[in-house]
Amino acid sequence: MDVNTKLYGLMGHPVGHSVSPALQNELIRLYGLNAVYLAWDVETVGLEEAVKGGRALSIGGFNVTVPHKKNIMPYLTDIDDAARKLGSVNTLKLTAEGYVGYNTDMPGLMRACGYDGISFKGRNAVLIGAGGAANAALGAILESGAKRVLIINRTRERAEELKKRFETFYPGIRMECVSSGAEAVSLMREETEKWNAVQATSVGMFPDTEAAAVTEDAFYELIDSAVDIIYNPEKTLFMKKTEAAGGKAYNGLKMLLFQGVRSFEIWHELKVDDKYTEQLLDIMKGAMKK
Ligand code: NAP
């Protein structure tokens, strides 16, 4: 580090278990940049000051995580179209006028699906969840060209809100909301083709690893390929049930990796080579164990 070292980092609350510093500093090392990435625990009350302070100190960019992905938006000088559509920002890049906001969760999931050979184009898609992660997942599913989308969420109103938000941007796509696995199964059986799924609830996350948001075996029999957005444990009960019924299942670590990779690409204006993917995943797994 010297006087020219550029600073980047994460802000959220809490940030204590984040693997982003390990990932970003490895990317900085691989690309030989004079930069360093840190993490700051910022509470909502201090968010505006943090953005102003970042600009005053010429911090080149931030990742933004819960609970600030929406409420940071008023403090930004501009927001790119994709992030505006999602109503959520997870990446800030410093410009002469201030910070510009981007969302890399959605392209991160799309790149992860591409890497694992899952495509939603022309397919039936089922999304479980209607929170922040589901918002990015629905964007990815619709942007990829799914033909029919079913949203399952415990609180049906939240699923309806999510649907309403995206209907405006994707008017031709059939979207339905249900609040239980049983209701979902009866709609899914209308189709002869199997469904691709994204599990975007927090159910099944460590330490509650014996839980799954959908319990009906019939549901899993209708699944072709699935991503569980959770990455701890490495194999969730949702993934185990999908595989037991003959489907393919992947966890959310690659989504996390590729959202970080995309942020890095935005900050440093370069393209990260896919040849580093497995090496970067190992770095993240190592950081998770600490
Ligand atoms: P969130 O906004 O709080 O949403 C939580 C979702 O889980 C809601 O749909 C909620 O349903 C549902 N849920 C929670 N407890 C439930 C239960 N007992 N039964 C049924 N449904 C339940 O959280 P989030 O930010 O979307 O995060 C969700 C998960 O995604 C977390 O595990 C997070 O770590 C993970 N994530 C992964 C990545 C990645 O890059 N891989 C990125 C972001 C998040 P209700 O609406 O009914 O409450």
Side-chain angles (χ1 to χ4, degrees):
M1 278 184 266
D2 57 28
V3 287
N4 296 314
T5 303
K6 198 91 187 138
L7 193 53
Y8 295 83
L10 168 72
M11 55 168 117
H13 179 70
V15 292
H17 294 289
S18 174
V19 299
S20 291
L23 168 65
Q24 294 294 339
N25 287 310
E26 179 66 2
L27 282 164
I28 286 168
R29 191 187 69 77
L30 286 169
Y31 283 86
L33 306 178
N34 187 0
V36 68
Y37 183 104
L38 303 173
W40 293 281
D41 194 322
V42 176
E43 293 193 39
T44 304
V45 67
L47 191 59
E48 185 175 6
E49 289 301 306
V51 174
K52 283 186 183 158
R55 189 176 176 198
L57 295 171
S58 298
I59 294 178
F62 290 98
N63 280 130
V64 181
T65 189
V66 281
H68 305 319
K69 288 185 184 186
K70 278 189 200 305
N71 54 17
I72 202 158
M73 293 170 89
Y75 311 130
L76 307 180
T77 185
D78 199 5
I79 294 166
D80 96 324
D81 287 346
R84 204 182 293 280
K85 221 187 225 183
L86 290 175
S88 165
V89 155
N90 79 328
T91 301
L92 311 189
K93 181 177 178 158
L94 185 63
T95 66
E97 293 76 38
Y99 286 104
V100 177
Y102 299 84
N103 185 297
T104 69
D105 286 325
M106 180 179 115
L109 178 58
M110 290 169 78
R111 199 151 150 189
C113 287
Y115 190 88
D116 287 326
I118 301 177
S119 170
F120 288 97
K121 193 169 172 51
R123 298 294 307 261
N124 303 312
V126 53
L127 170 66
I128 312 166
N135 184 51
L138 185 56
I141 289 168
L142 292 169
E143 197 59 32
S144 304
K147 70 169 179 201
R148 180 176 180 184
V149 182
L150 181 59
I151 308 169
I152 312 173
N153 195 51
R154 176 180 62 177
T155 314
R156 191 185 165 133
E157 298 74 50
R158 274 186 100 187
E160 295 286 358
E161 274 167 37
L162 201 61
K163 175 186 161 198
K164 208 165 141 201
R165 151 168 211 97
F166 282 93
E167 258 169 357
T168 334
F169 303 113
Y170 302 90
I173 301 177
R174 183 170 171 192
M175 272 194 263
E176 291 142 298
C177 303
V178 294
S179 57
S180 72
E183 283 174 274
V185 167
S186 69
L187 288 176
M188 288 163 79
R189 282 192 174 137
E190 291 173 2
E191 300 284 341
T192 47
E193 254 178 44
K194 285 197 174 184
W195 294 63
N196 283 345
V198 179
Q199 195 306 114
T201 74
S202 44
V203 183
M205 197 167 74
F206 180 83
D208 199 11
T209 55
E210 291 308 308
V214 175
T215 50
E216 288 79 0
D217 287 342
F219 172 85
Y220 295 93
E221 282 156 19
L222 298 167
I223 300 299
D224 182 8
S225 299
V227 180
D228 193 331
I229 251 166
I230 292 172
Y231 45 84
N232 184 17
E234 269 191 56
K235 193 169 278 193
T236 61
L237 183 60
F238 171 84
M239 292 168 65
K240 287 180 191 163
K241 282 178 170 285
T242 301
E243 286 176 352
K248 290 199 202 90
Y250 303 89
N251 70 26
L253 196 62
K254 280 195 208 83
M255 173 183 173
L256 188 67
L257 164 71
F258 285 123
Q259 64 77 30
V261 161
R262 185 68 204 120
S263 300
F264 183 85
E265 290 178 342
I266 290 170
W267 295 325
H268 305 294
E269 294 174 8
L270 47 78
K271 172 91 178 72
V272 173
D273 199 312
D274 266 357
K275 73 179 181 195
Y276 296 126
T277 300
E278 296 304 323
Q279 179 179 343
L280 292 167
L281 286 169
D282 283 345
I283 292 282
M284 292 166 82
K285 284 179 201 161
M288 275 166 63
K289 285 187 189 121
K290 280 184 189 155

